């Protein structure tokens, strides 16, 4: 078959909601690449959150920060960041609002001093929503390399995530920073747990377009995998879209294929069904 360019969301797609990588997912990536296909993660995570155990499976590169960063084979193809002035304004506003937050940079994740305690319940609730009553994730589990007491006025920030005390915090952030892109995660609408602010007018789809131009590859050869509503534009943009079985109703309804849950060999089974693994 023609060589494909494969884009994988990370949380809930390549790894489970507690960050565990199924052996079958690692093998699927490795065997697909051995057959000549290229595999990239396409995620809201910044590079600092792509830990060595993920790179060790043999990825070709990544799209990070929801499309603000593109890397291929260790080469930075595109990187759009907030300005230092934008970062300072957001940090000051979040401090004044009393909202725990962290800055997402390729050099690391930099947290407000109150984040470890202020985000504890939001992280536990996120874990419960994704894993049922067994979900007991701590802030340390979710962000093992978080940097506290670092400089928060930075020039290298991709986006800033913050705890929502109420949905009004997100609405007010969107109104206060029209020059930035406001979003939520950890749920939809008033059930969201976190808000975020990032570079305006960036998308995963645009980042994929930039990468394809860099590679000299065609959109017709792309396959995207995801589990959440935020992944729908990526699946719509690519030639073929796969939703994980653990995904939400909306992404499963629009996908070309719905595979099994991430914990039940979902990636491996989809790769095999699509002929990406070759002769087994």
């Amino acid at each position: 078959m023609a060589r494909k360019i494969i884009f994988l969301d990370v949380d809930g797609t390549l790894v489970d909601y507690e960050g565990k990588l199924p052996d079958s997912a690692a093998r699927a990536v490795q065997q697909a690449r051995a057959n000549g296909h290229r595999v990239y993660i396409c995620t809201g995570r910044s590079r600092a959150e792509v830990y060595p155990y993920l790179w060790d499976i043999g990825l070709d590169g990544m799209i990070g920060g929801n499309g603000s960063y593109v890397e291929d084979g260790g080469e930075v193809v595109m990187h759009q960041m907030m300005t230092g002035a934008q970062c300072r304004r957001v940090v000051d506003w979040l401090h004044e609002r009393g909202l725990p937050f962290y800055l997402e940079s390729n050099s690391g994740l930099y947290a407000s001093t109150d984040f470890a305690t202020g985000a504890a319940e939001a992280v536990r609730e996120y874990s419960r929503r994704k894993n049922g009553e067994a979900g007991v994730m701590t802030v340390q589990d979710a962000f093992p390399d978080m940097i506290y007491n670092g400089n928060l006025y930075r020039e290298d920030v991709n986006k800033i995530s913050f705890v929502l005390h109420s949905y009004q915090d997100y609405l007010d952030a969107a109104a206060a920073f029209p020059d930035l892109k406001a979003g939520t995660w950890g749920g939809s609408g008033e059930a969201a747990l976190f808000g975020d602010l990032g570079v305006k007018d960036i998308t995963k789809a645009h980042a994929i377009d930039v990468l394809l131009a860099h590679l000299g590859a065609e959109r017709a050869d792309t396959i995207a995998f995801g589990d959440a509503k935020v992944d729908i534009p990526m699946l719509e943009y690519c030639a073929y879209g796969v939703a994980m079985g653990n995904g939400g109703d909306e992404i499963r309804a629009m996908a070309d294929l719905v595979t099994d849950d991430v914990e039940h060999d979902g990636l491996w089974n989809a790769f095999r069904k699509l002929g990406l693994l070759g002769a087994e």
Side-chain angles (χ1 to χ4, degrees):
M1 69 182 300
R3 292 182 178 179
K4 301 297 183 183
I5 315 294
I6 302 164
F7 297 97
L8 304 176
D9 172 54
V10 176
D11 299 287
T13 301
L14 178 59
V15 304
D16 69 18
Y17 294 115
E18 294 190 345
K20 297 172 185 173
L21 174 69
D23 289 341
S24 63
R27 288 188 288 108
V29 170
Q30 291 161 356
Q31 193 160 324
R33 291 186 72 245
N35 286 331
H37 306 297
R38 302 181 72 89
V39 182
Y40 298 83
I41 55 173
C42 191
T43 176
R45 295 189 185 198
S46 292
R47 201 185 194 286
E49 290 181 272
V50 184
Y51 303 112
Y53 78 96
L54 293 175
W55 288 114
D56 288 347
I57 66 178
L59 299 167
D60 286 285
M62 70 172 288
I63 290 171
N66 283 329
S68 66
Y69 178 75
V70 180
E71 178 181 322
D72 174 49
E75 176 186 353
V76 177
V77 178
M78 181 184 77
H79 194 184
Q80 299 183 55
M81 293 172 283
M82 298 170 64
T83 67
Q86 287 173 324
C87 176
R88 179 181 290 267
R89 285 173 49 229
V90 175
V91 166
D92 289 347
W93 186 85
L94 291 169
H95 274 141
E96 291 168 6
R97 191 99 177 185
L99 299 176
F101 65 91
Y102 66 98
L103 313 181
E104 302 181 38
S105 162
N106 284 6
S107 64
L109 304 182
Y110 300 88
S112 59
T113 55
D114 59 347
F115 186 78
T117 54
E121 180 51 38
V123 169
R124 282 194 295 269
E125 178 60 23
Y126 176 82
S127 182
R128 283 194 291 266
R129 291 180 184 182
K130 298 296 187 180
N131 302 295
E133 289 305 315
V136 291
M137 185 180 289
T138 67
V139 173
Q140 176 61 32
D141 293 331
F143 306 101
D145 295 334
M146 185 69 80
I147 300 167
Y148 296 91
N149 300 314
N151 175 27
L152 298 179
Y153 292 152
R154 307 188 63 84
E155 304 277 349
D156 62 350
V157 174
N158 300 323
K159 61 189 178 83
I160 300 175
S161 285
F162 54 95
V163 175
L164 293 175
H165 290 161
S166 72
Y167 191 64
Q168 190 63 44
D169 292 325
Y170 156 71
L171 296 176
D172 289 348
F177 301 101
D179 55 326
L180 295 171
K181 181 179 181 180
T184 63
W185 56 277
S188 61
E190 296 191 10
L193 297 169
F194 292 86
D196 60 32
L197 290 162
V199 180
K200 201 172 183 66
D201 299 326
I202 57 103
T203 65
K204 289 182 178 182
H206 172 67
I208 292 173
D209 210 34
V210 168
L211 178 60
L212 293 178
H214 171 75
L215 295 174
E218 298 295 328
R219 186 171 167 183
D221 294 324
T222 57
I223 305 174
F225 291 73
D227 73 298
K229 185 176 180 179
V230 70
D231 298 316
I232 289 175
M234 176 174 69
L235 269 64
E236 289 176 333
Y237 180 85
C238 289
Y240 197 87
V242 181
M244 304 303 291
N246 48 273
D249 292 341
E250 289 176 90
I251 192 168
R252 287 188 285 110
M254 60 75 61
D256 298 298
L257 172 69
V258 178
T259 186
D260 300 293
D261 291 2
V262 61
E263 300 95 337
H264 297 115
D265 303 325
L267 271 192
W268 175 271
N269 293 337
F271 274 40
R272 180 173 58 188
K273 185 171 289 189
L274 294 174
L276 300 171
L277 303 178
E280 298 178 49

